[in-house]
Amino acid sequence: MRDTLLIALFAFLGAAAAGVLGACVLLLIRRRSLVAHLTVVAGVGVTAMLAGTLAVAQAMFLSGHDLSVVTTVVAMAAVVSLATALLLGRWVAARSHALALAARSFGDGGDFTSPEGPATAELAAVSRELEATSAKLAESRERERALESSRRELVAWISHDLRTPLAGLRAMAEALEDGVAADPDRYLKQIRMEVERLNGMVGDLFELSRIHAGTLTLSLARMSLYDLVGDALSGADALARENGVRLVGEGVEAVPVEVDGKEMSRVLGNLLVNAIRRTPADGTVAIAAERSPEGVVLSVTDGCGGIPDEDLPRVFDTGWRGTHARTPPAGAGLGLAIVRGIVEAHDGRATVRNVPGGCRFEVVLPAAASL
């Protein structure tokens, strides 16, 4: 038993010395390649075994022949270990290099494609994560391009919509100033109407900026959809009469919801105004509210004739106006973008689909908790 403990002690001391030396070498080459690290690790293992063997041999006074045999065996093991470490290191380094090249093209704006061939579990996991990240970045780039296109379109429409009324205001102001206006009262009334239109446009821009900046603050209160829809119909009645459109609000359930009354009234008002302006005279705009498994559904159906399928995904984009047949006489294409922003702030969603003779806008809101 005592001899076994001594052998273990001498072997441990010899191996520990080799291990400390290997750790120092690894510390010095910590910035070198993986091949060098694997070579050092293999060398440390063989050296530790050789040092332990030599320490035990010296302590046990082995013969010179036995010592040379042991040393030869350890040396052969060292050659095989180092060769294996070099091959493994070069293979892992090659896979890492291929992965780095693929990641570089992915970082330059391309899609990531995993290198072909077998790989270690760790490198395969990194490849899968890079593929998932590449897909997410591709979606982000697509959204960014769509947003940039919407911004450019919005700036173009805003510039056009501002230039026309401003030019008219300037002409009328100059006519009043020079005293050449044949009917000053009519000019003043027209100026007031243009100012109200510009004020509404600026209000929409401010509301949209709050939505995009995430600073829209909601004051939630429990109320009935019946009251909300009734107020919205009253507010849109004058515009509907002016355009010869019938407003229908039948089948509206008195469903309780927790919403910001002011903001939700704006949602309904925008949807109704949008529907009335796009429905021809003698047409009908219908609004409904009902329960559903998903919550509460508010819908506004118009008689616009439908929206082209390729335009349906863009209806709620900022600045979108659609075809010339649907271009409104006023506004900058902000109303539906504001609708979506307010609805999403209420944890709901806004959608649109074509129906016979027109389209149907739906707003889905969470149902209020039962008292």
Side-chain angles (χ1 to χ4, degrees), residues 38 52 62 85 126 216 228 230 232 255 268 276 278 293 302 313 324 337 345:
L38 288 176
L62 292 180
V126 172
L216 180 64
L228 280 174
V255 182
L268 294 177
I276 292 170
R278 288 156 177 77
D302 61 30
H324 294 293

Side-chain angles (χ1 to χ4, degrees), residues 135-152:
K136 292 178 181 178
L137 284 179
E139 293 177 0
S140 298
R141 286 193 294 267
E142 186 63 29
R143 286 196 301 268
E144 183 180 355
R145 283 193 289 267
L147 287 174
E148 184 61 28
S149 176
S150 296
R151 291 191 190 99
R152 288 196 297 266

